[in-house]
Amino acid sequence: MDDRLYRNVMGSFATGVTVITTKVADVVHGMTANAFMSVSLNPKLIAVSIGANAKMHQHIKDSKKFAINILSSNQLNESKQFSGQLQSETEITFVTYNGLPILEDTLAVVTCELHSEYVVGDHTIFIGQVTGVKIEQKDPLLFSQGKYRELKELQE
Ligand code: FAD
Ligand code: NAD
């Protein structure tokens, strides 16, 4: 099967955009990810799927805790910054929440402790036990068919 066709099909499943953040030996790391989902309500567990070649893969194994920053529609630059899509690195301000570095101006944040991990093909699915959540009144940044988009409500 052709990789491009496969990615086009997977990209037709519209998602929000997150930046995973963590800290290892006092250095803050971030990575853009859209392979994120809620897994369980009781206990509260989430999953992220991270490529084995991504540096974040090792950072999560080292820190054993991470935050999911759910981006708002005005955070296109943050998504590009943390996926290596910007030519020059911009200065990013992090604040601390539940002992983890998080981005400012996000739609929502989920903080986690590493619960378990599963190697699946060329990715690892990291399960996070949720330790805290917060949410603001903002619109989400969306990613669909390889492009960033904004939400538009349909008339019912
Ligand atoms: P690095 O290459 O170290 O970091 C990524 C970028 O973030 C670099 O440009 C770096 O300069 C910057 N950065 C890191 N920390 C900081 C900091 N403290 N301050 C400022 N800048 C910093 N990959 C997956 O594995 N799973 C996914 O679900 C996934 N979803 C994606 C969704 C979208 C919409 C996009 C665009 C990409 C997605 N990717 C995903 C790809 C992933 O974001 C990139 O491969 C990324 O570059 C991998 O980063 P890394 O962990 O190797 O870290
Ligand atoms: P794209 O057309 O490459 O991605 C569309 C969809 O394909 C993604 O939403 C994802 O569901 C899937 N996908 C893409 N690359 C994948 C990978 N390596 N492993 C598993 N699923 C993958 O979109 P784009 O705008 O070209 O993406 C920008 C970059 O971000 C590319 O390098 C892409 O590989 C990477 N990316 C990786 C993942 C991931 O690892 N899960 C997800 C999204 C984007």
Side-chain angles (χ1 to χ4, degrees):
M1 189 189 302
D2 177 57
D3 279 4
R4 188 63 261 170
L5 172 62
Y6 178 79
R7 283 160 67 157
N8 287 349
V9 170
M10 294 307 139
S12 70
F13 184 64
T15 66
V17 183
T18 78
V19 171
I20 304 170
T21 47
T22 193
K23 187 152 87 168
V24 181
D26 273 346
V27 180
V28 175
H29 302 278
M31 188 195 102
T32 301
N34 69 346
F36 160 72
M37 66 174 176
S38 171
V39 172
S40 163
L41 193 60
N42 188 20
K44 293 187 175 52
L45 301 171
I46 59 90
V48 285
S49 177
I50 300 186
N53 293 330
K55 291 180 192 141
M56 183 55 72
H57 192 270
Q58 189 59 44
H59 296 327
I60 290 183
K61 285 171 173 282
D62 292 341
S63 69
K64 296 190 170 38
K65 54 184 186 174
F66 54 96
I68 305 293
N69 299 260
I70 300 176
L71 299 188
S72 61
S73 56
N74 62 358
Q75 293 186 301
L76 177 60
N77 272 351
E78 281 83 345
S79 180
K80 290 183 172 177
Q81 168 72 37
F82 290 103
S83 56
Q85 293 175 329
L86 288 184
Q87 294 296 338
S88 57
E89 200 167 295
T90 47
E91 188 70 29
I92 302 281
T93 306
F94 296 93
V95 292
T96 301
Y97 176 67
N98 274 348
L100 280 160
I102 62 164
L103 298 175
E104 291 181 309
D105 295 326
T106 51
L107 163 58
V109 173
V110 182
T111 56
C112 309
E113 284 175 4
L114 182 59
H115 172 278
S116 50
E117 54 187 88
Y118 302 92
V119 176
V120 186
D122 56 12
H123 279 54
T124 297
I125 296 176
F126 291 98
I127 307 292
Q129 173 112 38
V130 177
T131 54
V133 292
K134 69 187 190 97
I135 187 163
E136 302 287 336
Q137 277 283 345
K138 293 178 192 285
D139 283 335
L141 179 66
L142 304 180
F143 189 70
S144 170
Q145 297 177 322
K147 292 196 174 85
Y148 292 102
R149 297 168 194 267
E150 281 183 304
L151 203 60
K152 183 179 152 201
E153 279 180 37
L154 297 176
Q155 298 295 326
E156 287 183 48

